[in-house]
Every structure is written in C-alpha cells, then in structure tokens.
Amino acid sequence: MEIVNGFENSSVVRAVELLNNGDVVAFPTETVYGLGADALNPYAVAKIFEAKNRPHFDPLIVHVGRKEWLHDYAEDVPQDALKLIDAFWPGPLTLILQKKMCIPDIVTAGLSTVAIRMPSHAVALELIEAFQKPIAAPSANPFAYMSPTKVTHVARMLKGKIPMALDGGDSVFGIESTIISFQSHGVFIHRHGAISEEELSEYVNIVHDIKTDSVYRSPGELPYHYAPMKPLKIVHNVDEVKIANSSFLAFRQPVTLPISRYLKVLSKTGDLKEAAANFFSDLIELDREDIDIIYAERVPETGIGKAIMERLKKASKKGAK
Ligand code: TXA
Ligand code: MG
C-alpha cells in the first residue's frame, strides 16, 4: 500500500483516479480513517467488504461533499434533520434517512434507509469534491477491530489489501460519528459518537426507544465490535488490577501506579475530549504488547464519555462472542 500526503493536490488527483476505476482508497476524516469507494458503483463498494472482511449485512455510511447533496440521495428529510445539518454539518453526525433509488443495495445492506454524513476534514472534503460523487466508507479497519486514527494504523491493518491511503494527520475526534434516526416522537441515537447526546438535545428531542419496527435497530451493534485482540476488562480503578502481565488504560493520571507492565493515560487531567482523541490509538498500542489482558478504567458517562464507554463495553464483550 502506498501512503501519500493527502494535503497535496497530486495525491487527491491520483485517489480520484482510483475511485473512478472502481478501486478503494483510505482517507482521513475528523473522526477516524475511512476506507472509501464510489458509493454509486456496487462493484467498487464490494471491494470495501472484501478488504475489511466485513459481512454484507452491515451497511455503510455515504459521505457527501455538500449539504445540498443530501437531497440527491435521501427522501422525506424531516425538519429535525435539516436543523441538525445546519448545526453540525460538516462534522461527525450521521443521519439515517429513507434512501433514493440511486444508492445501490450493497451500500445499505438491502435496507430502505441510507446513512449519510458530510465530514469536516479538509482532505476528505477535497477528495469528495474532486470526485464529484458521494463516497461510501466504513472505518478503515478489519471487521470488528478498532478504528484507525492514524495513517500508520491503516497501513498496518490493511497491508496488502488496498492500493493507497491518503495521510491527513491524526484524527481530531478519534471516535466515530454519532448515528441517529428520526422517529415520530424524536431523535433516536443508534451509536453514541463524537457529537454528544447533550449537544444534540439543544436542538431536538432525544428519545430512547424506537416505535416502528421498520428501522434497522442495531448498526454495528454486534456485541463484540471495536474489540482488541486481547481480552479487555473494565475496572473502577487500579486496585482492581490483579494480573501483572497486563496493560492498564487509565482515564486520568493514577495516584498509585497499577501492577501492570504497560500503562497508557488517556488524559492526564481527565479531559474527555482528549481521552476520546487518544482512545483507539492507545488501545491499539496496548493490544500489540505481549500481555494477557488489558484493564481499562471507566470514564464518566457524560458528553463524549458515553461514546468511549459504549466502545469499551463492546470491547469487553469480545470473549462472549
Ligand atoms: O465516523 C464515522 O462514522 C466513520 C468515518 C469513516 O466516517 N465511519 C464509520 O463507519 O464508523 P462504520 O461502517 O465503521 O460504521 C457505520 C455504522 C455501521 O455500524 C452500520 O451498521 C451503520 O453505520 N449503518 C449504516 N447504514 C445504516 C442504516 N441504513 N441503518 C442503520 N445503521 C446503519
Ligand atoms: Mg467501524
């Protein structure tokens, strides 16, 4: 795989050539790195599933280059959606809406809805604008593994599987987009992510149940998603660390050091945004060490902390798969 500087125009031109050829390209977004293909070409999209070893029942997010494009690919866009697009696009908010015919079934796993977002990363926007078509992209990791937040992660994880990755630096949020759908009684959060529930609730009513059963309920909600290779246990603090041949992923700087061989601190000062930005990259590093178990300290479930905990809980369930 070739890694090229995404901020150089010639790199974007070459990436667009690949996309036009029906190939896949990894590219940076503000959340995590994505593995993109022409969203309107089912053969190209099939290559994403192949490279990731992703089951075909798991639908992809369509990335658009302008807010107006939404109406080319989605129907029946509710007022709440327009309000949220105004507030949060470009940015890490994904909307599930009724799809238009032009979106191939492989993108949506045969659902009548499509997940759409407009990313804010300059390189992602350049790429989509230059391509002039939407790009379907999941996170650029093998299925069920952790999402890459650096181009070096992509290179390691998808080595030999894709032709090119655009380097756009470290992902600023470090956690995937928030995924929502629109119910008659308000907005339902399918996946907690970079935009917090608190932020959304400034604009819309948040509901905690889905009344219709026509909506696909559990995107990526396979219980063992986002998992490291090593077993992971969530703990309240260092005192619960019992195995020395372990890694400890601390939320903030611990007062007493754990008996673990390796320690990563998500945010010395306990800042949730900083913790989110470091979350996957720290976990990916700890997972590479020759240890028996990763202990992860709980983080407060407010703001983006909810998204971190959602991922930790899934990672800890891997053994239950
Ligand atoms: O931040 C992000 O969202 C990143 C960047 C690359 O944009 N993308 C990402 O994609 O996290 P992925 O494929 O790893 O996660 C997308 C999730 C999947 O769990 C999928 O099930 C859900 O979105 N999804 C896609 N289309 C859906 C639909 N029509 N209804 C419900 N869930 C959907
Ligand atoms: Mg993913």
Side-chain angles (χ1 to χ4, degrees):
M1 167 190 332
E2 202 184 343
I3 297 174
V4 294
N5 181 349
F7 292 99
E8 276 173 17
N9 191 254
S10 57
S11 307
V12 173
V13 169
R14 288 185 49 211
V16 168
E17 266 169 31
L18 284 168
L19 293 175
N20 276 325
N21 260 332
D23 257 312
V24 294
V25 174
F27 66 99
T29 85
E30 71 281 16
T31 56
V32 299
Y33 273 75
L35 180 60
D38 180 348
L40 305 181
N41 176 349
Y43 300 99
V45 173
K47 290 190 189 165
I48 295 179
F49 285 91
E50 205 179 288
K52 280 188 59 118
N53 204 7
R54 179 174 173 122
H56 282 266
F57 59 74
D58 197 3
L60 307 178
I61 296 175
V62 170
H63 296 70
V64 294
R66 288 169 189 258
K67 292 183 186 180
E68 307 84 76
W69 289 16
L70 173 78
H71 303 284
D72 297 334
Y73 307 108
E75 310 198 286
D76 305 333
V77 181
Q79 274 305 317
D80 272 359
L82 297 175
K83 236 196 267 177
L84 292 175
I85 286 169
D86 245 10
F88 297 106
W89 275 16
L93 183 67
T94 298
L95 314 184
I96 298 175
L97 296 162
Q98 284 304 310
K99 84 174 188 84
K100 283 203 168 161
M101 280 288 287
C102 57
I103 300 286
D105 282 339
I106 188 172
V107 172
T108 62
L111 298 168
S112 61
T113 52
V114 60
I116 305 189
R117 86 174 186 99
M118 178 182 177
S120 63
H121 194 294
V123 175
L125 285 176
E126 278 275 326
L127 179 68
I128 304 168
E129 279 276 354
F131 185 48
Q132 293 197 324
K133 274 196 274 181
I135 296 181
S139 48
N141 51 279
F143 178 65
Y145 196 62
M146 296 173 282
S147 301
T149 59
K150 298 171 188 286
V151 80
T152 49
H153 296 157
V154 180
R156 226 187 283 146
M157 292 179 187
L158 295 178
K159 200 159 113 194
K161 305 230 152 121
I162 63 170
M164 187 199 265
L166 294 173
D167 183 0
D170 294 359
S171 302
V172 177
F173 287 96
I175 286 243
E176 299 88 342
S177 63
T178 304
I179 303 181
I180 57 171
S181 71
F182 300 89
Q183 307 298 313
S184 55
H185 52 313
V187 166
F188 180 81
I189 300 178
H190 290 254
R191 176 176 76 182
H192 287 276
I195 303 279
S196 69
E197 181 169 343
E198 292 90 329
E199 285 173 282
L200 291 176
S201 65
E202 282 176 32
Y203 299 88
V204 292
N205 181 39
I206 304 289
V207 298
H208 297 279
D209 62 319
I210 292 185
K211 284 196 174 146
T212 59
D213 53 22
S214 62
V215 179
Y216 176 62
R217 235 204 109 101
S218 39
E221 285 175 16
L222 294 164
Y224 50 88
H225 225 89
Y226 312 114
M229 299 296 173
K230 305 274 165 28
L232 182 142
K233 187 172 162 45
I234 302 172
V235 295
H236 287 94
N237 55 54
V238 288
D239 301 340
E240 287 176 49
V241 175
K242 302 289 183 220
I243 299 170
N245 191 29
S246 65
S247 294
F248 188 66
L249 181 68
F251 168 46
R252 52 171 82 229
Q253 186 65 45
V255 185
T256 50
L257 286 179
I259 56 170
S260 305
R261 280 174 59 197
Y262 302 98
L263 169 71
K264 288 263 186 201
V265 180
L266 288 175
S267 167
K268 285 202 160 88
T269 57
D271 177 85
L272 281 169
K273 285 213 162 117
E274 187 185 11
N278 292 325
F279 177 67
F280 278 125
S281 69
D282 282 355
L283 206 47
I284 288 168
E285 292 314 316
L286 292 180
D287 197 33
R288 296 180 78 201
E289 304 296 353
D290 185 20
I291 41 96
D292 297 327
I293 184 167
I294 299 170
Y295 291 99
E297 185 182 22
R298 283 182 172 281
V299 311
E301 286 187 73
T302 56
I304 202 168
K306 214 165 189 166
I308 300 177
M309 280 307 291
E310 188 175 277
R311 282 151 187 76
L312 274 182
K313 283 176 194 164
K314 280 187 187 159
S316 73
K317 285 206 182 104
K318 192 183 179 196
K321 160 166 86 166

